[in-house]
Amino acid sequence: MLFQVPLARTGERRADAEQLAIAHAGELLPVTFLRSVRARRVSLRVDPARRRIVLTAPLRMSRAMAIGFAETQAGWIAARLKRLPTRQPFVDGAELPLQGVPHRIRHRPDRRGTVWLENGEIHVAGRREHLSRRLHDWLVEEMRRRATPLVLAKANRVERTVKRITVRDGRSRWGSCGRDGSLSFSWRLILAPPEVLDYLVAHEVAHLVHMNHGPRFWALAESLCEDPMAPAHAWLKANAEALLQYGA
Ligand SMILES: [Zn+2]
């Protein structure tokens, strides 16, 4: 069992997804239609990770009724589609925040095999077609390098041992803590300000002691944070959509 800091609701079976086009004001709005065993009623939501609007209906509801609901909400769908954040691929000249500080990406085809920081820029050597993968791998390692000492120091304070630290590419959660003492974090936290990473580490380390989200858990998490927890929590919530747009 994992206790997670969720990013978005998951659990869909991709095979069941159907692409709909809802007509609205001379436009066709793309909507993904899903069936859910858990859904009690029909609903619409924004899925920023996949940049789509999702219509979810209970198994027993007719397709026509579900689509009819989406049609009544076409204005909302159109507005939310327009507000989806733009993708931020890793390309030469693009901007990427590193620990909350904007850095320009510079492709250096003249140099061999590595990634380095120089004058507030991220330089990526090698061939253009490898830039995105190479930068991604570097960010994963950078995240591991920053998170590991934080995890070990906080685990030491609560006198718990950490079995493993994993940096993931998941789009469904920021971090998790397993009962065996394995912690995992999203590499995207390296893009966030340091106090946000500190908060996430404090959160997962506190789960080494309390495998729940009860008052004692939150008190411990707060005591493990370098800064007050609430602003970091709010920052993550406000910036989740934006952080999900970086990379391939
Ligand atoms: Zn938690």
Side-chain angles (χ1 to χ4, degrees):
M1 185 168 181
L2 291 170
F3 281 91
Q4 306 168 349
V5 179
L7 245 161
R9 275 171 283 179
T10 52
E12 77 182 59
R13 302 207 328 255
R14 203 166 305 176
D16 298 341
E18 180 192 352
Q19 273 315 303
L20 303 175
I22 305 291
H24 172 72
E27 275 184 291
L28 286 175
L29 309 174
V31 171
T32 303
F33 180 40
L34 296 174
R35 294 286 188 175
S36 164
V37 283
R38 284 177 301 178
R40 296 271 167 84
R41 55 185 182 82
V42 64
S43 67
L44 278 164
R45 70 183 163 90
V46 181
D47 175 0
R50 298 202 183 103
R51 301 177 48 75
R52 63 184 187 171
I53 306 290
V54 179
L55 172 68
T56 306
L59 297 177
R60 276 175 298 184
M61 180 177 281
S62 75
R63 185 174 175 279
M65 186 174 275
I67 292 174
F69 170 74
E71 284 168 348
T72 67
Q73 304 297 317
W76 180 87
I77 295 168
R80 292 313 304 262
L81 280 170
K82 282 201 184 74
R83 268 168 46 202
L84 280 175
T86 35
R87 273 207 194 290
Q88 307 284 345
F90 295 155
V91 291
D92 182 49
E95 210 172 72
L96 178 70
L98 212 51
Q99 298 234 281
V101 180
H103 285 66
R104 191 71 61 187
I105 300 170
R106 292 286 175 220
H107 180 216
R108 297 290 300 273
D110 53 315
R111 298 279 289 268
R112 286 180 70 91
T114 181
V115 179
W116 70 99
L117 296 178
E118 191 180 310
N119 303 325
E121 297 179 327
I122 306 172
H123 292 249
V124 186
R127 296 162 67 126
R128 184 173 300 273
E129 61 266 36
H130 297 150
L131 184 149
S132 183
R133 166 57 51 183
R134 187 161 284 163
L135 179 51
H136 170 268
D137 292 350
W138 184 81
L139 290 166
V140 167
E141 279 318 305
E142 191 66 7
M143 174 59 196
R144 194 189 311 280
R145 198 174 69 77
R146 297 275 183 177
T148 300
L150 283 176
V151 168
L152 296 181
K154 291 184 200 301
N156 196 39
R157 276 170 63 186
V158 297
E159 298 179 332
R160 290 292 194 277
T161 47
V162 176
K163 190 181 172 206
R164 188 169 51 236
I165 300 168
T166 311
V167 178
R168 293 183 191 280
D169 203 4
R171 287 169 177 265
S172 62
R173 58 190 192 232
W174 294 118
S176 69
C177 173
R179 287 204 181 273
D180 65 348
S182 298
L183 303 189
S184 85
F185 299 95
S186 163
W187 68 264
R188 290 168 195 279
L189 290 167
I190 198 63
L191 308 178
E195 59 271 24
V196 174
L197 173 59
D198 187 77
Y199 155 67
L200 244 296
V201 169
H203 185 117
E204 301 308 338
V205 168
H207 277 317
L208 292 171
V209 181
H210 301 292
M211 269 294 184
N212 53 59
H213 287 125
R216 292 200 302 161
F217 162 81
W218 285 113
L220 181 61
E222 179 90 60
S223 78
L224 288 172
C225 276
E226 289 299 317
D227 300 291
M229 196 164 59
H233 187 80
W235 190 96
L236 256 191
K237 216 172 160 181
N239 291 278
E241 288 195 14
L243 289 192
L244 285 169
Q245 305 309 319
Y246 288 98

